[in-house]
Amino acid sequence: MTGTLVLAGTPIGDIADAPPRLVAELAAADIVAAEDTRRLRRLTQALDVRTSGRVVSYFEGNEAARTPELADALAEGARVLLVTDAGMPSVSDPGYRLVAAAVERGIRVTAVPGPSAVLTALALSGLPVDRFCFEGFLPRKRGERLARLREEAGERRTLVYFEAPHRLAATLAAMAEVFGAERRAAVCRELTKTYEEVKRGPLAELAAWAAEGVRGEITIVVEGAAPPAPQSLDAAELARRVAVREEAGERRKEAIAAVAQDAGLPKREVFDAVVAEKQR
C-alpha cells in the first residue's frame, strides 16, 4: 500500500492564516520535507505543534537528489508532508519534481490549501482578475529580462510576477520601457504582514517610486495589453490570411479565430469573408 504526498500551504506573513489542517498534518506526517528546517521550527513553535515524524530539508540545492529518496518512502507507505517557507509548494518553490515523481509511480497527491501571494495580490490590485497568468521571477540580467518582457508585451491577461526588493526599480523601469509607461500596475509589499502596502499606478510612476528603495517580499501585478484596434481589411484580404494559415497546417476554425484576433474583428466577420471569397 503506497503512501500519500501532502502539499501544505503555509502563511505568507500572518501566522493566524495557518489552516487547522496544517497543524494536524504536521503532527501526523511520517516525514516532513521543509524548504528551511529552521523556519519550520519557528512555524511549529508558533502553532504549538510537535512533529512526530522525521524532518528533512528539501530546497533548490538538494531537490533533485532528495526526490528519489522521498519517492521511495512514499512507495513504501509513508505520509510525506511538503512545506516551503511561505505559500504553496511548487509555485516558484520546491515541489514540482516530487509531485511528478509521485504521479509517475501512481502515488496519491493531495494538498492543504493555504495563503497565496499570487491570489492575494491579484485580489488587492484593483486590476481585472477574470483571466490572469503567473510569470514568477524574471531573469536577473537586463538583456534577458527585456527579452522575456517583449515576449509578454501582447499578453491580454493580467500578469503576476515575483521580484526581489533590490531589483524592483530596475524591473518596473524595464516594464515601463516594454509595456508602456502608462500601463497600470500594482506593487504589493509585505502581504498580510504588519507593514503591508499596495502601491497602484502607471508603471513609470511606480518605477520612480521604487527608485527610492523598497523593502520586503514583493509581488507585482500588471494590467494586460489592450486589445488591438480594429484593422481596415477587406473581405479578400481576410480570406487570404485565413488561407495562409490553413496552408501552414491550421484547421480553418483556429485560423479564422487567429485572424480575427489579430485584426481586432469578430470571428463571424472573418468567417463571412471566407465564405464570400469561396463563392466568387
Side-chain angles (χ1 to χ4, degrees):
M1 187 174 183
T2 58
T4 300
L5 173 61
V6 183
L7 309 178
T10 55
I12 59 176
D14 191 335
I15 194 66
D17 292 335
R21 274 188 59 206
L22 174 60
V23 175
E25 291 289 353
L26 284 166
D30 298 305
I31 300 173
V32 179
E35 184 178 10
D36 186 328
T37 56
R38 293 166 299 181
R39 294 190 67 162
L40 171 65
R41 190 177 306 114
R42 290 198 293 270
L43 176 67
T44 56
Q45 289 172 349
L47 295 175
D48 193 24
V49 59
R50 182 187 298 273
T51 56
S52 58
R54 180 164 59 98
V55 174
V56 299
S57 63
Y58 190 75
F59 62 100
E60 185 179 0
N62 72 356
E63 185 178 2
R66 180 142 281 169
T67 292
E69 171 193 332
L70 293 174
D72 287 344
L74 285 163
E76 294 168 3
R79 189 173 187 85
V80 176
L81 179 69
L82 177 60
V83 294
T84 53
D85 291 347
M88 201 68 193
S90 292
V91 182
S92 285
D93 277 325
Y96 165 74
R97 285 188 176 91
L98 185 54
V99 172
V103 170
E104 185 177 353
R105 295 195 187 197
I107 294 166
R108 180 172 179 258
V109 181
T110 187
V112 177
S116 164
V118 174
L119 296 181
T120 303
L122 272 167
L124 297 179
S125 70
L127 298 172
V129 297
D130 54 331
R131 299 178 66 223
F132 69 90
C133 53
F134 174 60
E135 296 295 335
F137 285 93
L138 288 167
R140 298 182 181 185
K141 295 183 179 178
R142 172 177 164 78
E144 295 175 3
R145 182 166 58 235
L146 288 171
R148 171 82 70 79
L149 289 172
R150 290 189 186 105
E151 292 176 2
E152 298 159 358
E155 175 58 62
R156 302 270 292 277
R157 295 170 293 180
T158 298
L159 297 150
V160 185
Y161 301 87
F162 287 159
E163 190 51 281
H166 62 279
R167 290 196 298 269
L168 178 62
T171 292
L172 290 170
M175 288 177 171
E177 177 182 341
V178 176
F179 294 164
E182 296 303 313
R183 180 85 73 92
R184 293 187 301 162
V187 176
C188 304
R189 185 180 74 85
E190 294 289 88
L191 290 171
T192 78
K193 299 178 184 177
T194 302
Y195 298 104
E196 175 181 282
E197 179 181 21
V198 180
K199 188 75 172 178
R200 306 175 183 87
L203 280 168
E205 181 181 304
L206 291 173
W209 163 75
E212 299 177 5
V214 178
R215 295 182 179 181
E217 300 287 335
I218 304 292
T219 305
I220 307 171
V221 185
V222 183
E223 182 181 35
Q231 298 180 30
S232 180
L233 302 172
D234 59 23
E237 175 60 18
L238 291 172
R240 185 193 70 79
R241 294 188 180 192
V242 171
V244 168
R245 286 181 171 274
E246 285 189 276
E247 289 171 5
E250 284 190 28
R251 296 170 55 191
R252 178 168 297 175
K253 182 178 180 181
E254 283 74 19
I256 288 173
V259 170
Q261 182 174 349
D262 290 344
L265 296 170
K267 287 187 287 186
R268 183 70 195 185
E269 186 172 335
V270 179
F271 174 79
D272 289 344
V274 172
V275 172
E277 189 66 18
K278 289 195 176 293
Q279 290 177 346
R280 291 181 59 181

